[in-house]
Amino acid sequence: MATSFIFDGPEDAEVTILLAHGAGAPMDSGSMNATTKALAAAGLRIARFEFAYMASRRTDAGRRPPPRADKVMPEFVAAVDDLGPTNGPLIIGGKSMGGRVASMVADPLYDAGRIAGLLCLGYPFHPPANPEQLRTKHLVGLKTPSLIVQGTRDEFGTRQEVMHYELSPAIELMWLEDGDHDLKPRKSISGFSAADHLATMAASVAAWIGRIVP
């Protein structure tokens, strides 16, 4: 079955970002909509898609639980195939689980010249209640130029935790002060609003792309 996409941003943008959703919310969740709007405002073309288990929730009475990340890796590659040629370089990534799956398929696509980079928004370094169960083994040798945007108080990996992890030198980390797993800060504590952080994220993504794309 062909992948269904939601497109945002200028059709003639020089770079396209293919984004997958997190484990518990669809591609058109409030968080994904706000994130995409910010990236599109920075001049980037965004294509969003859903894994089959999430798409099925739109028609099925029950809520299919998310499968293991490795089980949906072929779906991400299929989305790249179905997206087809873009005007310029393609970046893959996603929110939380979507970014994790993208990171698991990135290197073969990068080696084949099909993508230029990887963008993870709120990477799930570990389950919230189990900081010892790291999801970083494949990130040690990652070759694809990557940007992980993370809130400093993300329960899936705080700045204090992540600073001790062994990660590939191909990975850049961008921290948003007091941001949670959706990158949202507490304005009364940080002085920043959610819109502030999303604008900073989008500007940082655009600058990072400018560094990795000739």
Side-chain angles (χ1 to χ4, degrees):
M1 190 170 98
T3 307
S4 295
F5 300 98
I6 297 176
F7 292 98
D8 296 275
E11 292 186 7
D12 60 349
E14 295 182 359
V15 174
T16 297
I17 304 178
L18 176 63
L19 291 179
H21 54 85
M27 63 179 172
D28 55 356
S29 68
S31 176
M32 287 290 286
N33 286 341
T35 298
T36 300
K37 181 179 179 180
L39 290 168
L44 301 165
R45 182 174 184 249
I46 313 301
R48 287 179 272 174
F49 78 98
E50 284 181 342
F51 298 117
Y53 82 90
M54 183 61 71
S56 73
R57 293 183 181 181
R58 298 183 182 273
T59 54
D60 295 351
R63 281 174 60 90
R64 289 180 59 187
R68 286 191 349 228
D70 61 307
K71 296 298 184 181
V72 293
M73 289 168 59
E75 292 185 48
F76 208 118
V77 176
V80 175
D81 294 339
D82 291 344
L83 183 63
T86 55
N87 290 336
L90 175 65
I91 306 292
I92 63 169
K95 172 78 180 72
S96 192
M97 186 191 81
R100 181 187 177 198
V101 177
S103 71
M104 295 165 73
V105 302
D107 273 357
L109 293 170
Y110 180 70
D111 288 342
R114 303 187 64 189
I115 66 170
L118 166 72
L119 172 64
C120 299
L121 304 171
Y123 187 86
F125 286 99
H126 59 72
N130 194 349
E132 293 79 28
Q133 190 179 327
L134 293 181
R135 298 160 172 163
T136 58
K137 185 176 180 180
H138 70 289
L139 299 181
V140 176
L142 192 71
K143 295 183 291 183
T144 306
S146 305
L147 176 64
I148 296 177
V149 182
Q150 198 85 352
T152 61
R153 63 183 178 94
D154 190 332
E155 61 182 353
F156 288 79
T158 66
R159 178 159 54 187
Q160 289 75 18
E161 292 171 332
V162 176
M163 66 184 294
H164 299 294
Y165 299 159
E166 182 182 358
L167 299 174
S168 165
I171 297 174
E172 294 185 36
L173 281 160
M174 189 261 174
W175 292 99
L176 292 170
E177 187 61 36
D178 196 57
D180 63 10
H181 195 50
D182 286 330
L183 310 179
K184 293 180 180 178
R186 297 166 294 186
K187 189 169 185 179
S188 61
I189 293 175
S190 68
F192 298 105
S193 68
D196 291 334
H197 272 4
L198 289 180
T200 299
M201 175 276 297
S204 298
V205 170
W208 165 72
I209 290 174
R211 293 194 298 273
I212 68 167
V213 173

